Amino acid sequence: MTTTKIAFIGAGSVVFTQGLLTDLFAFTELRDVHVALHDIDPERLATAHGAARHIAARGGAAPRVTAHADRREALDGARFVINIVQVGMGESTRTDFDVPAGYGVRQTIGDTLGVGGIFRALRTFPVLKALGADIAELCPDAWLLNYTNPMAMNVQYLTAATGLTRVVGLCHSVHWTLRDLSDLLDVPYEEVTYLAAGVNHQSWLLRFEHDGADLYPRLDELIASDAQLRRRVRVDMYRRLGYYPTETSEHSAEYVPWYLGHDSEIERLRLPVGAYLGIVDENVALYEKTRDGLAAGSPPAVEGTMEYAPQIIHSIVTGTPRTVYGNVPNHGLIDNLPATGTVEVPCLVDASGVRPTRIGALPAQCAALNRGYLSMNDLVVRAALQDDPRSVRQAAMVDPATAAALPVERIWELCDAMVRAHGDLLQPGLRETDLL
């Protein structure tokens, strides 16, 4: 029997890599896999390699772990490819916040929509295109499991630009939303039945039950009795839209025009503008702690993350059926969202692969928000596919939070400034400025 090879692209994201490996080696059937780690940063790659060997030894696993500066070596013969690249790392992330802030645009996370999401996508697309070409040549039957944000844009671009069909975007927001709500209502998560669908970071909890009883009325009672709970964006959205969104308030605030543009709403809903920059600093500190701990022979302990990629790999390798939430092209899955968009739906997984389930129509108000989100995505992907820099500006024009913050002239000026700031990370056809 051939050893299952799993390629980690962007393995220098050491903290996330460690969590995935801990989950992976927790499955007895996956303890002898071949883990091929790739990163362009030699120090981070060496740290990831050392951490992987430590995690395997501590867990009693005996995988083959290899480290590759050459991406093609890591991909050759892989059955699964896990993509966790972050193009530009923390420096580019700071640019995504600092430049828009100079124009008066507030962001909290900046990785999905908005000016931050647009340019995070545009500097990632060239890497995705090259990755897709390598997969098509070296491991055409592999499943590409993408964790890199902006998730929906990246999956749409991957499928459009590379022709790959075994692409699934993975995010933990649905899982942890249900975990948190179960804890809030003091109901065992394992006993909760639920259904969610929509788009990444803006899916909707369509069904939420325990022992056949709807849990929404209990949630309503709790919210009514807790003034502090009402001071959260996702709770505010739920009260007005009727369905709970499956992402944090910090994320959710960026995808609508109602909150970040108003000082009173930032205070009322306790929105931490620029919050992701703190997360960037924390991730660097955790990486350095791992690196230094490995050098001293005492790396920090790593907890499992309950991520979907190890579960998918286990199900396909062993035939064990399970359901995960995946981001996939909307080929008839959600009736009232565009067919070209990427949607987040439950997916059945077994030895035959990942099979998305059809949802039908979303509630009209939820679909209306999702359509705006996907329209913006479509313009960004179009910009890259057609080398059309005007589409970049048009995407920013239709982005809800950006349009609420700036007049159109300033939106174009901001995009010019972002193009200049990111420079060579963008494909050449999108580096033009002063288009009017």
Side-chain angles (χ1 to χ4, degrees), residues 58-72:
R58 190 187 62 192
R64 179 186 175 196
V65 182
T66 57
H68 308 269
D70 185 336
R71 181 178 64 210
R72 291 172 60 84

Side-chain angles (χ1 to χ4, degrees), residues 201 350 375 390 407:
H201 292 171
D350 57 23
S375 293
R390 293 178 67 88

